[in-house]
Amino acid sequence: MEKILVGEDVFVPYLTEKTIQKRVAELALQLHHDYKDTTPVFIGILNGSFVFMSDLVKNYPGDCEIDFMKLSSYGEEKISSGQVRLLKELNCKIEDRHLIIVEDIVDTGLSIQFMENFMKLQKPASVKVVTLLLKPDSLKYNVKIDYIGFEIPSKFVIGYGLDYAQKYRNLKSIYCLSN
Ligand code: 5GP
């Protein structure tokens, strides 16, 4: 894995494709163990979670449904603006359903808090959260993350769905800003 240069920023290899795939498969089996008597609805948060969501459901060995929501993103910035807007709502009915919110990364927790509050208004049977990455030192909101792929330092990362100004989502590995 090579370094990636973006202007003056240097991104260094952080999690390999193999490491990510192994952990995603483990998470899928753990979820299936907990949800096997139900048909959960995986709800991906666009755009970042689309790669993780895809691998997660491919490794999920039971019945499930999927849907997506879209929240406003960081845009071209590397830090959170502190505000969330809903850009795309759900298409399915979630009343009495078991929901699994799928995030690529939890940073301050603002997006997850917004999503949970939004969904609970529609009276689902349950709501849990799975995230591939969590930055524990960045958390500012009181959110419970039920399933975590990797805990990482509070550094900006790209690849495997995560962007920098909309690019680099298609990298199979995850890279971390070194400076
Ligand atoms: P939060 O609302 O928890 O502060 O941030 C969650 C969202 O911020 C993620 O879904 C992601 O879009 C974006 N984000 C947070 N940290 C990073 C990061 O290190 N890299 C990238 N590319 N996006 C991030």
Side-chain angles (χ1 to χ4, degrees):
M1 286 164 73
E2 298 282 314
K3 284 182 191 169
I4 295 178
L5 301 177
V6 188
E8 303 206 333
D9 291 333
V10 181
F11 286 88
V12 293
Y14 186 64
L15 294 169
T16 64
E17 180 184 4
K18 197 174 161 193
T19 304
I20 297 167
Q21 291 300 329
K22 180 169 175 282
R23 186 70 187 120
V24 173
E26 285 169 3
L27 285 172
L29 292 184
Q30 194 184 347
L31 284 163
H32 184 245
H33 174 268
D34 296 352
Y35 284 88
K36 57 178 171 293
D37 298 328
T38 69
T39 301
V41 188
F42 287 89
I43 298 179
I45 315 295
L46 294 171
N47 291 334
S49 73
F50 80 106
V51 180
F52 175 43
M53 173 87 153
S54 167
D55 285 340
L56 192 65
V57 298
K58 278 188 282 180
N59 281 282
Y60 187 83
D63 283 343
C64 63
E65 296 176 20
I66 65 154
D67 202 348
F68 289 95
M69 284 181 73
K70 185 164 181 164
L71 306 179
S72 53
S73 74
Y74 287 12
E76 306 251 324
E77 305 303 320
K78 293 201 278 304
I79 53 164
S80 169
S81 65
Q83 290 184 342
V84 179
R85 278 181 307 126
L86 190 58
L87 301 180
K88 180 206 168 297
E89 282 212 32
L90 291 170
N91 293 325
C92 67
K93 284 219 166 59
I94 57 172
E95 191 175 343
D96 295 329
R97 301 299 305 272
H98 292 284
L99 310 181
I100 303 171
I101 301 175
V102 181
E103 255 291 28
D104 49 354
I105 185 164
V106 175
D107 186 22
T108 63
L110 177 67
S111 309
I112 286 297
Q113 189 184 65
F114 179 92
M115 289 288 299
E116 278 191 322
N117 290 341
F118 176 85
M119 284 174 186
K120 280 179 181 162
L121 292 176
Q122 298 175 55
K123 308 222 177 328
S126 68
V127 183
K128 289 204 173 176
V129 177
V130 55
T131 186
L132 180 68
L133 304 174
L134 169 70
K135 295 180 186 170
D137 299 336
S138 298
L139 273 177
K140 288 191 192 150
Y141 297 85
N142 188 18
V143 286
K144 182 169 175 281
I145 312 298
D146 304 282
Y147 304 89
I148 300 163
F150 303 93
E151 292 197 356
I152 67 167
S154 295
K155 288 191 166 188
F156 191 75
V157 289
I158 58 170
Y160 197 71
L162 291 150
D163 73 312
Y164 182 2
Q166 296 306 326
K167 285 201 236 161
Y168 308 107
R169 294 191 195 276
N170 53 329
L171 298 173
K172 291 179 178 162
S173 306
I174 292 178
Y175 294 74
C176 176
L177 185 62
S178 72
N179 45 342

